[in-house]
């Protein structure tokens, strides 16, 4: 793709995100979401592969339907209450429609079917944008309307997302699809706490975005898209494979690593809100996603020859590791000890 065109699309993405997260009026928030959708479509379909075109079409149709629901929700609220302010969403029907619209934008169960397919058809760098930056505006809308949302509905969506995200990722061999189901599972953790402690949802999103960025950038550097090719990448850049192992275990939420922090805080908050059964259930469901993270980690660092894959070994490159990857890996693994400081910031 032409570098100038690429720059325009990236700037448009940032502009759309900024407009949505800084707006008070529903029309401005909707405009920001539309700019975002239109800017990411060329990035998804830039390879001109039929799968990429299919992914872009699916993404466009889903996001168009979700944007229509956002408009419908805000107009219903304005009709009943006379308010166009995002924080004044008080009508129960409007709240229900908005929750459905945002769930569709994010890829929460039962509106999740488009997300793995779109991620599978996109390049890794675009997949990174879809998994992180594109999720920020809808989560911001949930954050601003959280006092009015229905806790029962969000808890149900969250537990279903954690269950299906873990369960459907078990038998995947394509790394991008595994990361898509991982994203759905993580969104379940964010959705369950948004009504009770919205700041925790944002903290969870920031840490998730950081860990996912680490994994995507490392996979992009070692050019691995399938589990079978992941097994042979240890010969290429061994240090990156070690970093990938740590980043995957952090995404799984294992205790000494950064990924454990949001899970720990969310379980603590749910227990305070007398939701111990929901906390227990979502914790048990996260074991499903732990399995496929461990499978990825096993393929990354523990599978050594002789093994049965027919792929040729790759040449080792002495290319220096990107400083961005190095910084993100450090932050993805060792932020747990400074959690008291993080909590004082939020």
């Amino acid at each position: 793709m032409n570098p100038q065109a690429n720059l325009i699309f990236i700037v448009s993405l940032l502009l759309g995100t900024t407009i949505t997260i800084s707006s008070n009026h529903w029309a401005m928030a909707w405009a920001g979401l539309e700019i975002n959708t239109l800017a990411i479509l060329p990035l998804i379909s830039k390879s001109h592969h039929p799968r990429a075109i299919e992914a872009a079409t699916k993404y466009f149709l889903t996001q168009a339907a979700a944007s229509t629901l956002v408009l419908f929700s805000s107009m219903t609220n304005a009709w009943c209450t006379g308010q166009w302010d995002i924080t004044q969403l008080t009508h129960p029907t409007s709240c229900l429609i908005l929750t459905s619209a945002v769930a569709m934008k994010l890829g929460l169960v039962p509106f999740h079917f488009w997300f793995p397919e779109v991620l599978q058809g996109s390049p890794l760098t675009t997949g990174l944008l879809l998994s992180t930056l594109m999720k920020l505006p809808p989560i911001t809308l949930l954050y601003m309307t959280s006092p009015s949302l229905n806790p029962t509905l969000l808890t149900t969506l969250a537990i279903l997302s954690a269950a299906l995200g873990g369960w459907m990722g078990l038998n995947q061999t394509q790394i991008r699809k595994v990361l898509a189901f991982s994203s759905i599972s993580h969104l379940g953790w964010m959705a369950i706490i948004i009504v009770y402690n919205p700041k925790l949802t944002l903290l969870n999103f920031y840490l998730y975005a950081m860990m996912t960025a680490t994994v995507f950038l490392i996979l992009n550097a070692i050019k691995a898209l399938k589990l079978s090719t992941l097994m042979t990448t240890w010969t290429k850049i061994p240090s990156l494979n070690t970093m990938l192992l740590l980043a995957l275990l952090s995404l799984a939420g294992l205790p000494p690593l950064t990924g454990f922090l949001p899970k720990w805080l969310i379980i603590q908050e749910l227990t305070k809100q007398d939701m111990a059964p929901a906390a227990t259930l979502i914790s048990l469901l996260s074991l499903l996603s732990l399995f496929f993270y461990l499978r990825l980690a096993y393929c990354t660092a523990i599978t050594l020859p002789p093994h049965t894959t027919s792929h040729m070994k790759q040449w080792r490159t002495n290319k220096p590791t990107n400083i961005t990857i190095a910084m993100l890996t450090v932050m993805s693994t060792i932020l747990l000890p400074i959690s008291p400081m993080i909590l004082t910031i939020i």
Side-chain angles (χ1 to χ4, degrees):
M1 183 185 278
N2 188 340
Q4 283 84 2
N6 212 1
L7 180 65
I8 288 170
F9 297 136
I10 298 292
V11 170
S12 301
L13 272 179
L14 295 172
L15 176 69
T17 305
T18 310
I19 288 173
T20 303
I21 65 179
S22 59
S23 58
N24 291 316
H25 197 284
W26 276 112
M28 283 297 285
W30 172 81
L33 290 171
E34 288 301 298
I35 292 170
N36 254 3
T37 303
L38 294 173
I40 196 81
L41 287 172
L43 296 177
I44 295 173
S45 59
K46 67 182 175 186
S47 67
H48 301 299
H49 189 276
R51 190 180 279 275
I53 306 298
E54 181 191 338
T57 311
K58 284 179 178 172
Y59 186 77
F60 173 72
L61 293 173
T62 316
Q63 298 299 312
S67 294
T68 311
L69 282 177
V70 168
L71 265 187
F72 182 50
S73 155
S74 55
M75 287 166 70
T76 312
N77 189 63
W79 181 273
C80 297
T81 64
Q83 286 287 346
W84 280 99
D85 197 304
I86 294 177
T87 53
Q88 301 298 321
L89 188 82
T90 50
H91 196 262
T93 312
S94 300
C95 294
L96 192 66
I97 298 168
L98 181 81
T99 307
S100 306
V102 173
M104 201 182 287
K105 282 231 167 251
L106 289 171
L108 277 170
V109 174
F111 308 104
H112 66 288
F113 296 101
W114 63 272
F115 190 55
E117 299 296 326
V118 170
L119 213 63
Q120 178 59 29
S122 311
L124 279 169
T125 44
T126 310
L128 170 59
L129 289 174
L130 284 169
S131 301
T132 54
L133 187 66
M134 299 300 289
K135 299 230 186 293
L136 183 56
I139 283 178
T140 312
L141 290 180
L142 275 186
Y143 179 83
M144 289 194 278
T145 55
S146 58
S148 318
L149 299 176
N150 184 341
T152 314
L153 175 64
L154 277 168
T155 305
T156 310
L157 290 181
I159 286 173
L160 284 173
S161 296
L164 263 86
W167 186 37
M168 293 176 75
L170 290 179
N171 63 344
Q172 300 296 333
T173 56
Q174 297 286 340
I175 296 173
R176 283 171 293 186
K177 278 199 173 177
V178 171
L179 289 171
F181 288 117
S182 143
S183 178
I184 293 167
S185 180
H186 275 273
L187 283 168
W189 282 87
M190 294 177 216
I192 201 167
I193 202 69
I194 186 86
V195 176
Y196 305 105
N197 192 339
K199 286 185 177 177
L200 259 188
T201 298
L202 285 185
L203 174 68
N204 192 346
F205 175 75
Y206 296 146
L207 293 178
Y208 159 75
M210 186 176 69
M211 294 181 290
T212 306
T214 310
V215 172
F216 268 104
L217 290 172
I218 292 175
L219 289 171
N220 192 43
I222 59 181
K223 299 286 181 284
L225 295 174
K226 296 199 290 285
L227 285 181
S228 54
T229 52
L230 195 60
M231 289 178 186
T232 59
T233 51
W234 64 272
T235 53
K236 197 175 182 185
I237 313 176
S239 57
L240 268 189
N241 266 37
T242 313
M243 290 181 191
L244 182 57
L245 171 73
L246 290 171
L248 287 167
L249 294 179
S250 186
L251 259 181
L254 289 181
L257 304 166
T258 305
F260 177 63
L261 174 61
K263 286 189 167 66
W264 168 38
L265 293 173
I266 287 171
I267 291 169
Q268 194 178 3
E269 185 65 30
L270 286 173
T271 314
K272 283 181 191 168
Q273 300 288 345
D274 291 330
M275 288 181 65
T280 309
L281 189 55
I282 202 166
S283 306
L284 287 172
L285 290 171
S286 71
L287 291 175
L288 287 169
S289 44
L290 173 64
F291 177 83
F292 64 69
Y293 287 125
L294 285 177
R295 202 175 84 181
L296 276 173
Y298 177 80
C299 290
T300 303
I302 308 169
T303 315
L304 291 177
H307 53 68
T308 55
T309 56
S310 57
H311 289 274
M312 291 173 65
K313 289 190 177 61
Q314 302 182 48
W315 286 100
R316 179 179 295 207
T317 53
N318 291 321
K319 191 172 61 175
T321 303
N322 191 333
I323 186 67
T324 313
I325 297 177
M327 287 170 63
L328 283 170
T329 310
V330 170
M331 288 163 69
S332 298
T333 49
I334 60 166
L335 286 190
L336 191 63
I338 61 163
S339 50
M341 190 178 83
I342 295 170
L343 290 175
T344 55
I345 293 169
I346 66 159

